[in-house]
Amino acid sequence: MKQIIIIKYGELSTKKDNINYFLSILKNNISNNINDIEHVITYDFGRMFIQVREEDIKKVTERLKFIFGIHEIIVGFISNDKELANIKENIIKLIKDKEFKTFKVVTKRSDKSYPMDSMEISKNIGGYILKNINNISVDVHNPELLVNIEIRKNEILYYFNGILGLGGYPVGTLGKGLLMLSGGIDSPVAGYLAIKRGVKLEAIYFESPPHTSEFAKDKVIKLSRILAKYNTTIKLHVINFTHIQEEILKNIPHDYLITIMRRMMYRISAIIAHNNKCNILVNGESIGQVASQTLTSMRVINEVVKMPVIRPVACFDKLEIIDLAKRVGTYEISTLPYEDCCTIFVPSHPVINPSIIKANEYEKLIPYKELIHEAIRGHEVLYIGIEEEKKFDDIL
Ligand code: ATP
Ligand code: MG
C-alpha cells in the first residue's frame, strides 16, 4: 500500500459551469506552493490527488493547511490488490490503532466489473470489522470513523477522516485587490478574509519617517509574511506619507486632520491599485470603531474614490476580530508596541460627523494633487513571501 493525499473541495463543488477554472487554479496554487518537493497532482470534479514521496507527506499536508479552496485534507492509501480477503485485512491493519466507538463503511465502485456491488462490499467489510475489533458499533448517521473504500479500475483506495482545510476559493480566481495594511489588528484580518474569497492581494503601507520608526515598517513586513502564506507572495507598496501629513498638520483645521489624511490614503491607494490591475481596495475599517469609522466619516472618506472598497471586518466586533487574528497568526505581531502614522497625528477631538463640503474646502488649502504624485513617484516595492523561507531551507 502506498500513501496518497486526497483533497476535497467543499464550496468549490457548487461551481457548475466554471468548476474547471477554479480547479485548475487550485492545482497551480498547490503546485507552486510545493514546487520544492517532487509531486504529481491529478484531479476530477470530486477531489484532487497529490502523490509525493512518503517522507514528504507531512511537510505537504502542513502546507496545504494554508491553501484556500480546500475543504478537507486526507491521507489515504492506495493498493493494486483487489482481492476482498486482502482488502479486509488491510482495513483492519489501518484502523486497529484508531480511537473510535462507532463507524460506517462507505464504498464507491467505479469499476463496474467488480463482482460485488458497493452495498454488498460495505456490508461484508462492516461485518468483518465488527468481528475483529471489540466494543464498537455501526452508526450510519453520525459515525466517529468513516471507512471509505473506492474500487477503481486499476486500484483500490482506502481513506478515513481527514482534517479540515481552510475552505474558501483558490487565491487568484477572483482577480486582484489592494489591501491597506497598517500594523494594527484589523487590517491583516481583513486581508485574510479577502484572500479567502479568492482575491489575490497586494498591500500598501503608509509610513511617516522619522515620526514612525523602522520597527513599525518591520512589523508590517512581518504581517505581510504571514499573509503571504495564504496568498503565495505579497507585493508590498510602501508610500512615504511624511510630506503630505506635515502639510495637512500645518494647514488644515485639526478636527479634520484624520478625515483629510484618510482621503489622501484612499486616493493614493486607488491609483496604486489601478496601476497594478487591482480591482478593489480592502481595508480593516470596522463600523463605529473610531471617529473616522462612523457612517458619515466613511461616506466622506469613501467619496474620493470610484473603486469599490471592501471592508471584510466592517460588521465584526473587536473581540471577533481578535479571535480571528489569533487563528490567522497575526495577533502577536499586531500587538507589538510600535506607533503607526495615524496614532502619531491623532487630534484630541476628531470630527465625528464631517461634512463633504468642508472636507472639499479644506483640501484646497494644500496642493494635494502634487503631493500625491510626489508620494507615488517615490514609492518603494517589496516582494514578500514563502519563497524567501524556501530559499533559506535549502541553504541551512
Ligand atoms: P488596524 O485597523 O489595522 O487594526 P488601526 O485600527 O490602527 O489598525 P485605523 O486607524 O482604524 O487603523 O485605520 C483603519 C484602516 O485604514 C486600517 O484597518 C487599514 O486598512 C487602513 N490604514 C490605517 N493606517 C494605515 C497605514 N499606515 N497604512 C496603510 N493602511 C492604513
Ligand atoms: Mg482599526
Side-chain angles (χ1 to χ4, degrees):
M1 274 187 293
K2 253 184 16 197
Q3 284 186 307
I4 185 166
I5 300 170
I6 305 161
I7 280 171
K8 297 223 168 159
Y9 310 133
E11 189 179 350
L12 278 194
S13 348
T14 62
K15 298 271 158 213
K16 295 232 155 51
D17 299 339
N18 51 1
I19 185 163
N20 229 335
Y21 166 75
F22 282 85
L23 295 184
S24 65
I25 292 187
L26 177 62
K27 177 180 180 241
N28 279 344
N29 289 353
I30 294 174
S31 200
N32 288 337
N33 190 297
I34 59 172
N35 66 4
D36 54 332
I37 298 167
E38 211 178 304
H39 65 270
V40 177
I41 304 179
T42 51
Y43 65 93
D44 57 33
F45 291 161
R47 58 266 152 94
M48 198 166 276
F49 296 101
I50 308 177
Q51 282 169 286
V52 294
R53 285 190 305 240
E54 195 113 356
E55 63 267 30
D56 289 330
I57 293 253
K58 208 167 172 331
K59 202 161 153 191
V60 171
T61 49
E62 278 309 306
R63 299 237 191 118
L64 294 175
K65 287 183 192 166
F66 288 92
I67 296 179
F68 285 115
I70 297 176
H71 172 67
E72 198 178 354
I73 307 160
I74 307 166
V75 178
F77 300 83
I78 206 159
S79 151
N80 298 324
D81 188 348
K82 293 167 90 173
E83 189 58 51
L84 189 63
N86 297 337
I87 296 178
K88 288 178 181 171
E89 279 315 307
N90 280 338
I91 286 180
I92 297 295
K93 245 189 259 160
L94 292 171
I95 67 173
K96 69 177 188 318
D97 295 327
K98 291 188 188 290
E99 295 229 341
F100 66 99
K101 287 260 164 292
T102 55
F103 76 101
K104 171 185 172 182
V105 180
V106 179
T107 308
K108 263 197 208 148
R109 187 186 57 137
S110 53
D111 173 9
K112 298 295 175 205
S113 68
Y114 199 76
M116 292 163 88
D117 72 19
S118 42
M119 282 294 272
E120 285 172 305
I121 301 168
S122 293
K123 262 199 193 150
N124 201 304
I125 292 176
Y128 192 75
I129 293 174
L130 283 172
K131 239 191 265 163
N132 283 275
I133 298 180
N134 295 329
N135 300 325
I136 53 166
S137 58
V138 172
D139 180 346
V140 288
H141 301 296
N142 205 7
E144 284 172 33
L145 180 72
L146 251 184
V147 178
N148 291 283
I149 302 160
E150 288 190 26
I151 316 240
R152 312 169 85 197
K153 207 163 171 41
N154 299 316
E155 67 226 346
I156 300 253
L157 186 66
Y158 310 98
Y159 58 92
F160 311 96
N161 307 24
I163 46 168
L164 278 188
L166 287 178
Y169 293 142
V171 174
T173 46
L174 270 292
K176 282 205 298 180
L178 181 66
L179 170 68
M180 300 169 72
L181 182 61
S182 68
I185 296 171
D186 307 326
S187 49
V189 172
Y192 170 86
L193 290 170
I195 301 170
K196 183 170 186 176
R197 299 316 291 166
V199 179
K200 165 116 180 146
L201 286 186
E202 297 192 7
I204 184 166
Y205 167 59
F206 296 89
E207 61 170 356
S208 300
H211 312 294
T212 57
S213 64
E214 273 297 303
F215 290 117
K217 181 175 173 184
D218 194 48
K219 201 172 148 180
V220 171
I221 292 175
K222 286 200 175 104
L223 289 170
S224 304
R225 199 165 286 140
I226 295 190
L227 288 179
K229 285 193 185 183
Y230 304 95
N231 192 61
T232 67
T233 43
I234 296 259
K235 184 175 177 187
L236 174 65
H237 304 265
V238 181
I239 302 284
N240 187 319
F241 205 50
T242 312
H243 195 186
I244 297 182
Q245 258 186 331
E246 288 174 350
E247 286 299 306
I248 293 174
L249 197 61
K250 251 192 280 165
N251 297 295
I252 290 186
H254 280 197
D255 54 342
Y256 271 71
L257 286 184
I258 297 277
T259 312
I260 304 297
M261 205 174 79
R262 297 195 59 74
R263 281 162 60 109
M264 297 303 160
M265 281 189 183
Y266 266 54
R267 287 188 174 104
I268 294 173
S269 301
I271 295 170
I272 296 281
H274 175 83
N275 290 347
N276 289 277
K277 301 196 165 54
C278 296
N279 277 324
I280 55 166
L281 296 180
V282 179
N283 69 33
E285 289 172 346
S286 176
I287 296 171
Q289 198 181 82
V290 286
S292 62
Q293 291 164 30
T294 61
L295 297 186
T296 358
S297 278
M298 279 183 172
R299 183 170 175 203
V300 174
I301 293 164
N302 206 149
E303 192 80 8
V304 299
V305 295
K306 291 195 192 120
M307 190 172 278
V309 180
I310 305 293
R311 302 170 176 85
V313 299
C315 299
F316 285 21
D317 65 44
K318 195 75 187 186
L319 293 180
E320 289 170 317
I321 300 174
I322 288 176
D323 192 44
L324 197 45
K326 287 181 179 164
R327 279 193 276 145
V328 173
T330 51
Y331 182 74
E332 282 190 7
I333 299 168
S334 292
T335 45
L336 292 172
Y338 299 113
E339 300 287 286
D340 86 323
C341 69
C342 298
T343 38
I344 282 168
F345 289 87
V346 171
S348 42
H349 296 292
V351 59
I352 286 174
N353 287 310
S355 102
I356 293 178
I357 297 170
K358 277 192 188 164
N360 286 335
E361 283 304 310
Y362 291 157
E363 273 174 358
K364 290 185 189 146
L365 302 171
I366 54 171
Y368 75 85
K369 283 193 179 148
E370 280 112 85
L371 289 168
I372 283 176
H373 287 129
E374 175 193 303
I376 288 173
R377 270 198 307 277
H379 102 283
E380 178 193 1
V381 174
L382 303 172
Y383 289 91
I384 293 166
I386 47 174
E387 296 304 323
E388 299 170 305
E389 281 167 33
K390 281 187 197 160
K391 271 186 218 136
F392 288 139
D393 268 358
D394 289 346
I395 295 165
L396 301 178

